[in-house]
């Protein structure tokens, strides 16, 4: 690798796969150069291609750019470390989007974080840096250890690192004093052995990133359809007559979805966008792989834009269903799929009776929509033979998220839009393999059948008591119930709510361990003792081994990196788990940890015997296969009633006190989850800054504020106020009474105890705030 100096690799800096190492920025970013222009009316096009190539070249150089982007999302290539959107049977030579290219560039960067970097920068100093600056420093190069009482990380051998972890785990009063977090990028094989280690240790404390995003989807769908996943394939989306895109910004968060929506439009579908913000990607898409997307106007995607008030979605879908019931009464036998309802569903009569008492005044107040817009949308539904509803975190992060998603299911069941071609539910997962991790058993509340299968296959009795989810894990750290925190990927501190509480809780841990590819805030906000364990990325070779992932639509396929590892000191996630297990349980443990570390095929053999749907896993992994999906494949619904369940859900209007606004936290276009790629949000017209809040011009005028003013955001809760300071106001065409700002900067406004009913997901999309000029505390 050559000698090292600071955080830059020196020596030749060039290999067969690479380019000269690029220097990370020394200076942190500021907001002094913030510029705001008008929002864009279309997404992608040549600017997306240019930004992709510019960032790839800056991070990787020309050679590595070609090697990586030519293989991302290709068969016998590697799965994008960004979103979980599926690939079709016919793949483009450039099967990636702008943000996928950014994710690959960040991982395959030639920048390195070495021991000299940690010697030059204390933990205290790193805690004061921005997420962007931390991420720009490059790939972690070797294991690092912060001893208790020290303010610096120092190098540590892998053996010594595992010994530290095993020592602290054995010193606990019980297994439940340890927490084992998982991020979505973890492969199926790594997730399986990770949950096996945790349950072998004796706890179900397996919080994961799903707890903060689509837990509400899983809770609602398991109850109503019997499966916690979507019920559509990519082909279904292409052949649907009508597609709802609700609480979602695909142009930024999963841009390859735009190509699927474009295909649906070409096949005759209508698209209805439901969102408080007018997102460019849903207005018009200029596909850079089509001539019309390069030199033409591209494709108008949304035929109808319902600019709904935050938290109004439950009311909208109840209103649409009520209009469908009215249409059935006016023309019996022409609207409701009575055969499907009678044969495959339960609870219809009770639900329909309650819906006939719907209060239209509350619908108007909750949605903020004109009644005519809802009525016209109902006509679109009546004209469609097949309907799909897609959604993301705009639906899942409210107190009533689970009832809202249950109401989406009611709407679809009414006309038989589940379990047939071109129809169904489509929760669009975020992080690559977040769905696969759950399939592999990363869950704090595992079912009896799964635990029985683990027992029978591995010969030990796994714990049966439920563990902590993400919010409960933070509470346990805060209250001293948990002492050790282990994270398989992710940036836990930046991803979670109630920032001050979470950071204090993490600093109170006896030991924190982060398995990571890049530097992030969770390395700087750590326990008394801390370890950083650097791991291979998706883009890198892992000997002759490969891993597998599951996409957002239940397709499983192989992922095989091609680049030389960023450092000779990296281990794969599987190796890290298995070597820790051997240190913790000894070389004679009944689980074959050494075999698993050497042969991932052996892990897949065990997955096949434990988890239904993975028959002939090793034989099918390279080409890929679809996991069984009873509602989609058989119109079978494995719920408590044996049928798809209509559910009764109360419509409760979220009323905001006078002078307050309803805030949702969102991503910028130069961001993926907590990874900040840059300081721009091109589609919303923002350059050079992130501390901004988008507010309707009329709402600003009512508060005596103007575009460009500097304000503090204060959220109000029963346990007190929380403040995020110094945000520039942007006059923006959001829904009246609503505003938006980026996370993680505004996570501080969301209390730890403000969570969705049933799912426990933080309520980051419905935060009551007041705006005051910076430096004042005006109520």
């Amino acid at each position: 690798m050559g000698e090292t100096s600071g955080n830059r690799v020196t020596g030749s800096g060039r290999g067969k796969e690479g380019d000269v190492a690029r220097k990370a920025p020394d200076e942190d970013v500021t907001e002094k150069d913030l510029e705001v222009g008008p929002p864009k009316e279309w997404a992608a096009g040549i600017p997306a291609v240019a930004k992709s190539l510019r960032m790839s070249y800056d991070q990787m150089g020309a050679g590595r750019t070609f090697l990586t982007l030519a293989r991302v999302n290709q068969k016998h290539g590697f799965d994008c470390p960004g979103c979980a959107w599926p690939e079709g049977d016919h793949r483009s030579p450039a099967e990636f989007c702008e943000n996928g290219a950014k994710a690959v560039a960040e991982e395959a960067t030639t920048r390195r974080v070495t021991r000299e970097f940690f010697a030059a920068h204390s933990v205290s100093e790193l805690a004061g840096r921005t997420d962007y600056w931390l991420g720009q420093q490059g790939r972690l190069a070797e294991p690092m250890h912060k001893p208790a009482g020290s303010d610096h990380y120092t190098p540590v051998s892998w053996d010594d690192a595992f010994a530290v972890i095993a020592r602290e785990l054995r010193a606990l009063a019980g297994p439940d004093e340890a927490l084992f977090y998982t991020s979505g990028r973890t492969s199926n094989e790594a997730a399986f052995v990770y949950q096996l280690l945790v349950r072998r240790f004796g706890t179900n404390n397996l919080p994961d990133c799903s707890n903060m995003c689509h837990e509400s989807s899983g809770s609602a769908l398991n109850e109503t359809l019997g499966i916690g996943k979507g019920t559509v394939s990519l082909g279904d989306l292409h052949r649907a007559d009508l597609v709802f895109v609700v609480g979602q910004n695909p142009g930024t968060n999963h841009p390859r979805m735009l190509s699927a929506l474009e295909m649906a439009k070409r096949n005759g579908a209508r698209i209805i966008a439901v969102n408080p913000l007018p997102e460019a990607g849903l207005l018009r898409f200029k596909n850079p792989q089509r001539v019309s997307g390069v030199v033409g106007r591209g494709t108008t995607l949304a035929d109808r834009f319902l600019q709904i008030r935050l938290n109004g979605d439950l009311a909208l879908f109840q209103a649409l269903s009520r209009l469908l019931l009215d249409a059935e009464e006016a023309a019996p036998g022409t609207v409701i799929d009575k055969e499907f309802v009678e044969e495959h569903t339960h609870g219809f009569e009770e639900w329909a009776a309650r819906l006939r008492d719907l209060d239209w005044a509350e619908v108007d107040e909750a949605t903020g929509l004109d009644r005519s817009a809802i009525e016209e949308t109902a006509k679109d539904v009546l004209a469609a033979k097949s309907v799909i509803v897609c959604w993301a975190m705009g639906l899942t992060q409210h107190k009533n998220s689970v009832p809202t998603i249950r109401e989406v299911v009611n709407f679809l069941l009414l006309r038989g839009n589940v379990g047939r071609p071109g129809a169904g539910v489509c929760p669009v997962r975020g992080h690559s393999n977040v769905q696969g991790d759950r399939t592999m058993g990363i869950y704090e509340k595992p079912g009896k059948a799964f635990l029985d299968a683990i027992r029978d296959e591995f010969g030990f009795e796994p714990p049966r008591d439920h563990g902590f989810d993400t919010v409960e894990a933070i509470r346990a750290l805060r209250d001293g119930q948990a002492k050790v925190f282990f994270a398989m990927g992710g940036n836990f501190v930046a991803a979670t709510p109630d920032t001050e509480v979470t950071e204090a809780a993490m600093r109170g841990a006896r030991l924190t361990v982060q398995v990571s590819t890049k530097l992030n805030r969770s390395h700087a906000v750590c326990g008394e003792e801390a370890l950083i364990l650097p791991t291979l990325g998706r883009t890198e070779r892992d000997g002759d081994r490969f891993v597998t992932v599951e996409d957002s639509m239940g397709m499983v396929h192989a992922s095989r990196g091609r680049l030389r590892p960023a450092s000779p000191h990296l281990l794969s996630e599987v190796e890290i788990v298995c070597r820790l297990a051997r240190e913790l349980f000894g070389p004679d443990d009944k689980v074959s940890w050494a075999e698993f570390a050497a042969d991932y095929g052996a892990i897949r053999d065990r997955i096949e015997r434990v988890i239904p749907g993975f028959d002939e896993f090793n034989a099918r992994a390279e080409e890929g296969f679809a996991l069984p999906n009873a509602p989609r494949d058989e119109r079978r619904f494995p719920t408590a009633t044996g049928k798809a369940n209509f559910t009764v859900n109360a419509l409760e209007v979220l009323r905001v006190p006078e002078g307050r606004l309803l805030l949702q936290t969102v991503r910028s276009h130069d961001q993926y989850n907590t990874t900040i790629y840059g300081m721009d949000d091109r589609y919303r017209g923002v350059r050079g800054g992130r501390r901004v809040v988008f507010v309707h011009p009329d709402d600003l005028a009512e508060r005596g504020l103007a575009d460009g003013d500097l304000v503090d955001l204060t959220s109000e809760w029963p346990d007190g106020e929380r403040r995020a300071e110094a945000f520039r106001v942007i006059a923006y065409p959001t829904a009246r009474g609503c505003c938006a700002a980026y996370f993680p900067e505004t996570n501080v406004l969301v209390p730890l105890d403000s969570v969705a009913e049933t799912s426990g997901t933080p309520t980051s999309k419905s935060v009551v705030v007041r705006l005051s000029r910076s430096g004042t505390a005006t109520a």
Side-chain angles (χ1 to χ4, degrees), residues 104-128:
V104 170
E106 285 254 328
E107 181 180 290
T109 181
T110 58
R111 300 170 183 171
R112 299 290 180 264
V113 178
T114 65
R115 60 179 63 186
E116 287 82 3
F117 172 89
F118 286 108
H121 300 281
S122 69
V123 174
S124 298
E125 178 197 338
L126 295 177

Side-chain angles (χ1 to χ4, degrees), residues 86 127 170 263 312 386 391 563 587 603 728:
R170 293 192 191 105
M263 177 65 74
S386 56
W391 70 87
L563 294 179
I603 302 173
R728 175 174 168 177

